[in-house]
Amino acid sequence: MRFSKMFLPTLKEAPSDAEVISHKLMVRAGMIRKLAAGIYDLLPLGLMAQRKVENIIREELNRAGAQEVFLPSIQPAELWQESGRWNLYGRELLRVKDRHDRDFCYGPTHEEVITDLVRREVRSYRQLPLNLYQIQTKFRDEIRPRFGVMRCREFTMKDGYSYDLDEKGVEETYRKMYDAYCNIFRRCGLKFRAVEAETGQIGGSFSHEFMVLADSGEDSVATCESCDYSANVEKAEVRQDARCKMQDAREELKPMEVVSTPDKKSVDEVSEFLKVEKERIVKTLIFETENGIVAALVRGDHDVNEAKLKKLLKCDVINLAGEKVVEDVTSAPSGFAGPVGLNLKIVADNSVMGIKNFVTGANLKDAHRVNVNINTDFKIDLSGDIRMVKDGDLCSRCNGTLRVYKGIEVGHVFKLGTKYSESLKATYLDENGKEKLIVMGCYGIGVGRTVAASIEQNHDDNGIIWPMPIAPFQAIVLSLNMKNTDVVHTSENIYQTLTDSGIEVLVDDRDERPGIKFKDADLIGIPIQIIIGEKNLKEGKAEIKIRKSNKRIIVPVSDMEKQVRGLIKELTPA
RNA sequence: CGGGGCGUGGCUCAGCCUGGUAGAGCGUUCGGUUCGGGACCGAAAGGUCGGAGGUUCAAAUCCUCUCGCCCCGACCA
């Protein structure tokens, strides 16, 4: 490809609406342009990188026994009504009507469509297992799209669905997909972690998320320093240990008192005002569930994990109560809730059980209670692990320390079970002629997000540094002086030779000054720069610069192909 | 959906408070000098100041409405 002919509009300055690095660089490098909030045009350079990722995905999935299909992006409402998600999915589901006033939606995911296909075609156990995937545009009407291509409304996703005879079958498929995902992300040059995750809206019994570690990530991952335990903080288990107690067992129980705390609502304020460590304050959070209102107690330095609370309470819906409900229930403005005298079901985190003489809200405006003790002053109905892990907690699997990192979720695998085969009646006849539910798994990869995540992990002040496997071009030839015929001819020759031998090369044949070419080459991040300038050329030589290491070598022009070939190999992970 | 901010040439932004000829840098076009890290000189094109309404002799500027975009929040009392 020739730079002079390519639609590659690079920018010196980043657009003012770009926040994260990948977004800025993708716009500056001429990969994307915004059409509307959360909706982007993909330009040639951007598409090339994305196609590279797509092809790696295809190779690994096909190798693992999956088959590619292509399903409609517009889906009839009936299917979603049948699965029950037409109502459940909420406003993220973009609904449209056709000219006959029939309801459709733009697919945010394809469980319904593909399960409908499978249920119509699969009758016998002989036709299973089946593992189908597609690479498709999805639309999710996000509350707040942000970070460029990282969290947008329209995006490209690889989604795959597996159909097995039984639990054993799906577990094997799941493992295969898990391994394939590891290969895919490794080949994309990403530093990632496969972490245990909550199943969320898609539902199902267990799942792993593939997280790319990056500060700009919107998810938090807890990772053990000593063993290989990794989990989304939503899911990560807390280990109870001696350190949690932090109190002398011999400390005597003191009589409870009410103290005035004018306008001190938050744990920070109360801790400061009463000169008490946050560990000795107990927060009382009021939640509404389908089975009534409950009060959840966690230590002042901890946060409630709603997913865990939900599980402990065995309920489906859980929402933090609003101001009004809090006032009704505690007869005090929010900020002063406490367990003493509350006529609610009270759930406590394990760590609360070990504290004595702690501080809580008094259920009175501008007042807290001190020296509160469980059993003496109030009773707990239920206790368990209901808090979010935090950095420095102990690992639940070993004695290591957990670290919490930010991560970008690029892939997710679920063991779905029979959730959809049940609602959509996807069944088969087993060898005894008995009808059984097909057992499903589902597997997603955010393709565009993977590209963005790679940039988050691979860049410097000058621009993108593509890992070789997903670089839009493997090499770029910088013809430094278009007025010098030797330079031009040599650049052309090298470009032709490399291209003919199957290497993906961009030649910067624009009539621009060298500085501009260097800057653009760095910006668009091509791994190998081949720099053709007069001085070196007089000795029949040219320079090669490795974008990643900034290493420069001078090689004879005649040796170029061999050198480049060697470097490509060197820069491609096995 | 709540709070905040911003819409002025292709891009980044100034001008708005205090109404009176629409600006800069980058980019683009033409001519010349330059040519290994975003050059320089000269000339030029390009904007109904997001849109609608209002106030005024006069509106980018003040008021009202509207659309778009961005940020923060929408679980922690």
Side-chain angles (χ1 to χ4, degrees):
Chain A
M1 189 73 207
R2 291 172 189 284
F3 208 132
S4 63
K5 299 283 189 307
M6 186 166 171
F7 182 46
L8 179 45
T10 57
L11 257 31
K12 199 185 279 189
E13 284 168 294
S16 53
D17 60 8
E19 195 71 4
V20 294
I21 291 158
S22 60
H23 185 194
K24 288 181 187 165
L25 288 177
M26 286 176 87
V27 174
R28 287 191 53 209
M31 294 174 65
I32 56 168
R33 288 293 184 264
K34 184 167 69 187
L35 212 214
I39 302 179
Y40 289 84
D41 303 317
L42 243 197
L43 279 48
L45 193 77
L47 222 210
M48 285 175 178
Q50 181 161 313
R51 290 274 189 257
K52 288 277 180 104
V53 172
E54 290 175 6
N55 286 332
I56 290 173
I57 291 172
R58 286 194 174 95
E59 281 175 33
E60 293 297 334
L61 291 183
N62 292 348
R63 191 201 317 246
Q67 299 173 65
E68 187 168 1
V69 294
F70 193 72
L71 305 167
S73 57
I74 299 288
Q75 314 179 1
E78 288 77 41
L79 272 180
W80 285 74
Q81 284 155 353
E82 200 179 337
S83 73
R85 289 206 294 184
W86 185 256
N87 293 322
L88 284 177
Y89 215 91
R91 285 192 298 181
E92 247 178 56
L93 187 63
L94 181 68
R95 293 153 218 253
V96 290
K97 280 185 192 293
D98 70 3
R99 63 164 71 196
H100 304 293
D101 217 33
R102 287 188 285 244
D103 287 314
F104 285 84
C105 65
Y106 200 122
T109 172
H110 282 69
E111 281 83 3
E112 281 81 358
V113 172
I114 194 150
T115 303
D116 173 62
L117 173 67
V118 169
R119 73 176 168 183
R120 284 184 285 141
E121 304 305 326
V122 171
R123 296 277 129 72
S124 155
Y125 70 95
R126 293 172 200 274
Q127 291 167 286
L128 296 172
L130 206 51
N131 189 173
L132 304 172
Y133 73 95
Q134 64 168 345
I135 295 176
Q136 238 263 9
T137 303
K138 301 279 194 265
F139 194 96
R140 293 182 187 171
D141 204 351
E142 289 278 347
I143 305 174
R144 181 140 97 88
R146 61 183 127 181
F147 302 149
V149 110
M150 208 94 102
R151 183 189 191 84
C152 45
R153 297 193 293 172
E154 189 181 283
F155 57 98
T156 305
M157 180 173 170
K158 186 291 291 184
D159 53 324
Y161 308 87
S162 68
Y163 298 84
D164 278 279
L165 295 170
D166 50 28
E167 280 294 311
K168 218 178 111 208
V170 74
E171 270 161 33
E172 194 185 322
T173 306
Y174 185 91
R175 212 195 56 235
K176 272 190 202 156
M177 288 297 105
Y178 181 101
D179 291 343
Y181 272 40
C182 290
N183 287 338
I184 290 165
F185 295 122
R186 184 181 45 76
R187 283 182 63 190
C188 287
L190 292 166
K191 288 184 279 295
F192 69 97
R193 281 279 201 156
V195 311
E196 294 179 18
E198 282 298 327
T199 47
Q201 192 146 40
I202 311 268
S205 40
F206 67 85
S207 84
H208 285 86
E209 282 168 350
F210 289 77
M211 293 283 194
V212 167
L213 272 19
D215 291 335
S216 56
E218 292 188 89
D219 288 289
S220 292
V221 181
T223 287
C224 179
E225 284 183 336
S226 314
C227 72
D228 61 1
Y229 180 68
S230 278
N232 192 306
V233 290
E234 296 279 306
K235 165 102 181 177
E237 298 153 22
V238 171
R239 179 195 187 96
Q240 288 312 123
D241 71 299
R243 281 187 354 198
C244 274
K245 293 222 171 81
M246 56 79 51
Q247 256 184 327
D248 193 334
R250 289 165 304 179
E251 182 170 325
E252 299 207 353
L253 301 191
K254 296 183 197 158
M256 178 173 79
E257 279 178 64
V258 174
V259 295
S260 163
T261 50
D263 230 26
K264 307 298 176 201
K265 297 183 173 189
S266 70
V267 167
D268 283 340
E269 288 164 350
V270 173
S271 158
E272 165 91 358
F273 184 75
L274 295 177
K275 304 274 180 277
V276 176
E277 310 93 304
K278 284 188 219 168
E279 289 82 352
R280 226 186 241 243
I281 297 175
V282 169
K283 286 199 275 203
T284 306
L285 276 54
I286 311 296
F287 286 93
E288 295 179 273
T289 77
E290 78 264 32
N291 303 322
I293 299 174
V294 300
L297 308 186
V298 291
R299 238 166 58 182
D301 58 327
H302 290 155
D303 294 317
V304 168
N305 181 324
E306 286 189 19
K308 289 180 181 176
L309 185 57
K310 215 184 214 172
K311 212 173 283 170
L312 186 68
L313 291 169
K314 298 188 177 66
C315 60
D316 292 324
V317 189
I318 192 157
N319 279 308
L320 195 71
E323 188 87 14
K324 232 188 100 218
V325 174
V326 173
E327 282 185 39
D328 281 358
V329 167
T330 67
S331 54
S334 72
F336 302 99
V340 180
L342 260 196
N343 191 19
L344 291 176
K345 182 169 187 171
I346 293 178
V347 188
D349 182 63
N350 288 327
S351 62
V352 170
M353 306 306 284
I355 339 176
K356 293 176 188 172
N357 301 325
F358 51 83
V359 175
T360 71
N363 297 327
L364 290 169
K365 184 170 162 41
D366 294 338
H368 279 76
R369 288 171 200 270
V370 299
N371 297 329
V372 178
N373 287 289
I374 298 173
N375 292 331
T376 322
D377 302 311
F378 69 99
K379 299 266 185 268
I380 281 171
D381 296 298
L382 193 59
S383 72
D385 173 16
I386 61 166
R387 74 170 174 96
M388 209 75 98
V389 289
K390 52 179 218 173
D391 198 89
D393 277 346
L394 288 190
C395 174
S396 62
R397 303 286 161 86
C398 70
N399 275 318
T401 305
L402 289 180
R403 291 287 158 222
V404 174
Y405 296 103
K406 291 281 178 199
I408 300 165
E409 181 191 345
V410 289
H412 205 156
V413 294
F414 291 89
K415 198 187 90 183
L416 272 181
T418 55
K419 180 175 166 140
Y420 294 94
S421 40
E422 220 172 296
S423 58
L424 295 168
K425 300 184 187 61
T427 60
Y428 67 94
L429 292 180
D430 70 8
E431 51 275 69
N432 303 315
K434 227 181 114 197
E435 187 173 59
K436 288 199 169 149
L437 289 172
I438 303 180
V439 185
M440 289 179 63
C442 92
Y443 319 91
I445 292 179
V447 180
R449 189 183 275 185
T450 301
V451 173
S454 181
I455 295 173
E456 291 287 331
Q457 260 183 7
N458 303 289
H459 69 271
D460 64 15
D461 291 346
N462 294 317
I464 301 169
I465 305 173
W466 289 113
M468 186 60 79
I470 63 172
F473 295 96
Q474 296 170 312
I476 179 168
V477 177
L478 302 185
S479 182
L480 288 192
N481 185 348
M482 294 305 286
K483 302 258 173 9
N484 179 307
T485 51
D486 278 352
V487 170
V488 172
H489 282 146
T490 308
S491 303
E492 268 311 302
N493 274 339
I494 291 174
Y495 169 59
Q496 283 306 339
T497 312
L498 295 182
T499 302
D500 290 348
S501 76
I503 295 170
E504 295 154 345
V505 193
L506 178 66
V507 58
D508 193 344
D509 58 342
R510 295 174 299 170
D511 188 11
E512 291 288 358
R513 302 170 58 79
I516 289 179
K517 299 193 177 192
F518 287 129
K519 287 290 183 191
D520 272 345
D522 284 352
L523 176 62
I524 65 177
I526 311 303
I528 298 171
Q529 296 179 8
I530 300 162
I531 301 164
I532 314 296
E534 279 173 78
K535 286 169 206 142
N536 284 320
L537 202 53
K538 278 187 190 132
E539 295 159 35
K541 291 180 176 170
E543 180 180 330
I544 296 178
K545 179 181 129 178
I546 309 299
R547 176 71 179 90
K548 188 182 173 73
S549 61
N550 212 25
K551 199 174 91 185
R552 292 156 189 277
I553 49 173
I554 312 281
V555 304
V557 168
S558 55
D559 207 24
M560 192 57 74
E561 188 189 334
K562 204 178 126 217
Q563 289 286 343
V564 171
R565 214 161 260 300
L567 284 169
I568 290 174
K569 208 169 169 194
E570 199 181 311
L571 293 169
T572 305

